[in-house]
Amino acid sequence: MRKINMSLDVYDKILMLAKRRGFIYPSYEIYGGVAGLFDYGPLGAQLKQNIENLWRSYFLLQDGCFEIHTPTMTPFEVLKASGHVDEFTDLTVDCPQCATSFKVEDITKDSRTLEEAIQADDMNCPTCGTKLINPHQVNLMFATKIGIGKTRDAFLRPETAQGIFTGFHLLYRYAREKLPFGVVQLGKGYRNEVSPRQGPLRMREFSMAEAEVFFDPSNKNHERFAFVEDNMLLLFDNEKEMKLSLKEAVEKKVIKNQALAYYMFLTQSFLLDAGVKPEKFRFRKHADDEMAHYAQECWDAELYSERFGWVECVGIADRSAYDLSSHINSSGTDMYALRRYDEPQLTKRKKIIPKMNVLGPLYMQKAGAIKEALENYVITDETDEITVEINNEPIVVSSESYEIKEVMEKEIGEKFVPHVIEPSFGIDRIIYMLLEHNYKEGIKNDEEYHLISFRPHVAPVKTGVFPLINDDKLTSVAKNIDFSLRMDGIYTVYDDAGTIGRRYARMDEIGTPYCITIDFDSLSDKKVTIRDRDTTEQKRIPIDSISTYLKDLLESKEKVRV
RNA sequence: GCGGAUAUGAUCUAGUGGUUAUGAUCGUAGCUUCCCAAGCUAUGCACCCGGGUUCGAAUCCCGGUAUCCGCACCA
């Protein structure tokens, strides 16, 4: 008889189960393991794929975003422009008295460089005045080099978002130059965590699903807002939890705009649909001082863990024009969008047309620069000559070298940098939370019993297929049923070992929602028993309808109400 | 990164400076078994890594790695 070990908490038990049954376990353990790296085993990989595809059904199908894939390896310039190089790399010193760390740049108020400050070694703790020690670099990005010999500095990406921003001009074309539109990416991100202590909740290489939705800042409404505005959001303002409809939340300015509220609702729907327990779910608004360097308003979807308390699993941020502006400035690429006027606007303007056949021979190699200067010259009144400055040298150009024309200029719209609303999902955290929220245990016939109540559409294995006993007549029928179900796209496990109860228990432990048993009656009446994991109720159904019957069950997912 | 503790099959665990390292779960093969972890037989699998002390180290010591706890970090 196995006893429940009371000294273990849910986290310990889940990690044990996850390792034993092939969900998640530490990577490279035969070489000592690496903190913050985990393998997804056979069941974990299936589960993850189901979660990611469920996510796609919300963001790709329901919201109509485009999915792209960009490299994880990212040149230095990209992350310099995005602010990650500066924001992720901190020179820090510790206070032995207060047991806290400080950024050196916050401590050095004078004009010294950080290196000089370290060299002088005279920094004191702002709280207690103790001499600060142990200067060290805190760099949360993995640095690497691209190429052999002549190399380029690069990092493994800390988020997937930058790959979307750097292709914005092409994606804007793909979206037929209309806003809003969203682009999503599912993939790996990398952060060299100082001490990744919380298992799958803080990994150094992790899976994320991000959506970047581009808006005209003058209109952050969402087309489908009216369809969902009466739904409730579970909100927490750092003081109290509350339930507000989307409509109320936006009207009362609890949430800044429709788009943010809409994506919060999409996020909430996805998580509850995946099997997160509503009472262990909330949106928490970031205080001003905890927001990321790029964010304007940020809400976290937090999920509750028995061991860790409320954990951020999704961040929904209004990143405003921060990223695109940075890339426009750093790369010089035109990443503006156009807000079309209802009618094209015509304006009369006086324009200088340089005569190159005169300018060329006269000014030789300076002619090009003069041409450009003339074209940019703002005409105040008509004169016989214009003075332009080339390399700090005034040059007087007479009116023989140019012509002033009055032209009608047509402007069809106004250029602007789109704003971005970004829902960013930590897939691994969500998967751990699903395990924890759906884990059940108890004693059954003096034995410890585990069950994971995954919702059928996320469960890695959809059905077990068992001959009631290990008899050739039954096993051959069972194997045929098993094969044809898999050919119908239903992931099954065939099992003929041990008693039927043991096989049910094995399936319960990995969250398989249904089991099909073939008995001797099946040979004559062509029916099998289908057993429900949560109720253990059994029903007999014809063999030739198993596939459609199961598919109905797997697809008829009820919405979770809050 | 700092301080403390821990490390035995896939999982949980007993134990010891000296033959073949304990038990359970588990896997495999077989017997048995007509619906919720029955039983029997056979069999498989382990002392985290490196160094030191010792005639002999899985056991003692040191270092590393990993995990857990506290502090710091987590844009």
Side-chain angles (χ1 to χ4, degrees):
Chain A
M1 174 176 139
R2 290 150 78 190
K3 287 239 167 64
I4 292 184
N5 187 339
M6 297 312 281
S7 67
L8 299 175
D9 70 1
V10 198
Y11 173 84
D12 290 323
K13 290 176 190 168
I14 284 170
L15 255 56
M16 267 188 247
L17 188 153
K19 187 173 187 182
R20 190 161 42 82
R21 298 308 307 267
F23 283 101
I24 308 172
Y25 38 85
S27 300
Y28 310 119
E29 230 185 358
I30 62 165
Y31 291 106
V34 182
L37 298 184
F38 284 84
D39 288 5
Y40 278 88
L43 292 177
Q46 277 304 311
L47 176 63
K48 182 166 174 241
Q49 194 174 55
N50 293 345
I51 295 301
E52 289 179 340
N53 284 336
L54 183 67
W55 190 87
R56 285 188 173 94
S57 80
Y58 279 84
F59 282 84
L60 228 53
L61 302 179
Q62 185 171 325
D63 197 51
C65 293
F66 316 129
E67 179 173 356
I68 66 166
H69 290 170
T70 68
T72 54
M73 218 177 266
T74 313
F76 176 87
E77 295 83 341
V78 174
L79 293 160
K80 176 69 182 171
S82 69
H84 287 87
V85 169
D86 299 320
E87 296 292 328
F88 262 63
T89 309
D90 296 327
L91 196 54
T92 46
V93 280
D94 301 331
C95 174
Q97 191 69 38
C98 317
T100 45
S101 292
F102 301 94
K103 294 184 185 179
V104 174
E105 63 182 31
D106 293 344
I107 302 292
T108 51
K109 53 259 161 234
D110 43 36
S111 58
R112 295 184 302 183
T113 65
L114 300 186
E115 286 71 23
E116 283 164 357
I118 294 294
Q119 206 68 48
D121 191 23
D122 61 353
M123 288 171 290
N124 295 320
C125 175
T127 322
C128 66
T130 310
K131 186 162 173 286
L132 294 168
I133 54 161
N134 187 28
H136 56 283
Q137 208 54 245
V138 177
N139 187 337
L140 292 183
M141 289 198 290
F142 285 97
T144 185
K145 292 192 183 298
I146 300 175
I148 307 290
K150 193 182 175 215
T151 59
R152 283 184 75 173
D153 287 342
F155 298 101
L156 298 182
R157 66 184 179 196
E159 57 174 18
T160 67
Q162 295 307 323
I164 297 176
F165 298 135
T166 51
F168 174 78
H169 53 303
L170 299 175
L171 296 163
Y172 181 55
R173 285 285 294 172
Y174 180 81
R176 310 289 294 276
E177 303 189 1
K178 288 192 192 83
L179 293 180
F181 71 93
V183 180
V184 308
Q185 178 158 211
L186 294 100
K188 293 293 185 92
Y190 301 82
R191 293 175 197 186
N192 200 359
E193 300 285 355
V194 177
S195 62
R197 291 274 185 86
Q198 297 100 324
L201 295 184
R202 247 174 100 194
M203 287 159 63
R204 287 184 162 131
E205 171 174 326
F206 54 98
S207 290
M208 57 206 304
E210 293 190 299
E212 310 299 327
V213 190
F214 298 97
F215 280 87
D216 182 333
S218 70
N219 180 12
K220 287 186 183 172
N221 290 337
H222 194 283
E223 205 181 14
R224 290 196 53 81
F225 189 80
F227 294 92
V228 299
E229 63 181 11
D230 293 328
N231 286 284
M232 290 295 179
L233 289 172
L234 301 168
L235 304 174
F236 177 70
D237 65 359
N238 290 311
E239 282 171 19
K240 58 184 189 305
E241 309 208 358
M242 53 190 165
K243 224 159 135 177
L244 283 184
S245 73
L246 276 75
K247 195 177 174 181
E248 275 180 287
V250 173
E251 274 170 7
K252 290 183 179 165
K253 306 258 183 241
V254 177
I255 301 172
K256 205 171 65 174
N257 56 57
Q258 278 192 9
L260 209 49
Y262 177 84
Y263 286 102
M264 285 167 69
F265 177 65
L266 202 64
T267 297
Q268 179 179 292
S269 307
F270 159 72
L271 288 172
L272 297 180
D273 197 0
V276 162
K277 297 294 167 211
E279 67 276 13
K280 295 181 177 180
F281 172 93
R282 72 182 189 192
F283 280 114
R284 190 178 67 83
K285 189 175 191 167
H286 272 212
D288 291 344
D289 59 355
E290 65 175 313
M291 255 177 307
H293 63 272
Y294 47 70
Q296 213 174 63
E297 171 164 335
C298 187
W299 287 84
D300 283 345
E302 296 186 325
L303 305 182
Y304 187 78
S305 159
E306 301 291 332
R307 156 94 64 114
F308 303 106
W310 289 100
V311 177
E312 170 198 352
C313 293
V314 184
I316 306 176
D318 187 335
R319 294 175 76 137
S320 71
Y322 179 88
D323 299 276
L324 288 181
S325 299
S326 302
H327 288 304
I328 290 170
N329 291 337
S330 303
S331 72
T333 304
D334 181 342
M335 287 184 164
Y336 294 95
L338 187 71
R339 190 182 297 126
R340 283 175 186 275
Y341 300 130
D342 294 340
E343 293 283 314
Q345 290 184 2
L346 297 172
T347 39
K348 267 188 205 168
R349 206 164 75 83
K350 282 182 182 163
K351 209 174 163 185
I352 299 173
I353 315 284
K355 294 181 179 168
M356 290 315 286
N357 56 342
V358 181
L359 279 175
L362 206 55
Y363 295 103
M364 309 296 278
Q365 64 269 59
K366 282 183 192 161
I370 292 171
K371 169 178 183 274
E372 202 171 310
L374 285 173
E375 282 170 345
N376 290 329
Y377 190 82
V378 182
I379 302 166
T380 43
D381 55 349
E382 213 135 329
T383 48
D384 287 347
E385 54 185 42
I386 292 174
T387 308
V388 295
E389 214 168 83
I390 307 295
N391 294 335
N392 297 325
E393 177 196 347
I395 295 177
V396 180
V397 184
S398 76
S399 60
E400 276 141 43
S401 306
Y402 61 87
E403 192 180 348
I404 295 181
K405 275 189 180 171
E406 196 160 83
V407 293
M408 291 295 276
E409 284 208 333
K410 193 163 98 175
E411 280 190 39
I412 57 165
E414 185 188 347
K415 284 166 82 178
F416 65 95
V417 182
H419 278 207
V420 175
I421 297 217
E422 177 200 69
S424 173
F425 292 67
I427 296 292
D428 313 284
R429 288 185 173 190
I430 292 170
I431 286 174
Y432 169 75
M433 289 296 181
L434 287 179
L435 287 166
E436 194 185 304
H437 287 193
N438 291 284
Y439 175 80
K440 295 185 173 116
E441 65 182 9
I443 306 282
K444 200 166 169 181
N445 301 329
D446 280 350
E447 282 229 54
E448 191 176 336
Y449 200 86
H450 306 128
L451 186 145
I452 304 176
S453 55
F454 284 132
R455 304 195 77 206
H457 58 284
V458 308
V461 178
K462 304 304 185 191
T463 184
V465 180
F466 313 143
L468 185 56
I469 59 161
N470 196 352
D471 180 291
D472 286 350
K473 291 194 203 71
L474 299 185
T475 54
S476 65
V477 176
K479 281 179 178 168
N480 283 338
I481 291 174
D482 178 62
F483 183 71
S484 73
L485 286 176
R486 280 185 281 124
M487 287 298 97
D488 279 341
I490 297 169
Y491 191 27
T492 64
V493 163
Y494 172 85
D495 191 357
D496 59 19
T499 64
I500 192 75
R502 168 179 235 87
R503 286 175 268 164
Y504 286 150
R506 276 201 278 256
M507 287 295 107
D508 287 348
E509 193 175 39
I510 61 167
T512 304
Y514 307 108
C515 290
I516 287 165
T517 303
I518 291 86
D519 55 32
F520 283 107
D521 292 341
S522 306
L523 301 177
S524 48
D525 70 1
K526 306 289 178 205
K527 285 182 177 174
V528 294
T529 305
I530 182 162
R531 176 251 194 197
D532 182 287
R533 175 196 64 208
D534 299 320
T535 62
T536 73
E537 272 165 21
Q538 304 189 8
K539 218 172 139 177
R540 275 187 88 72
I541 58 167
I543 289 174
D544 54 18
S545 70
I546 300 174
S547 177
T548 44
Y549 185 84
L550 275 174
K551 279 186 178 167
D552 279 354
L553 287 174
L554 295 174
E555 276 160 26
S556 67
K557 43 178 182 175
E558 271 177 50
K559 284 274 171 253
V560 181
R561 319 248 355 139
V562 297

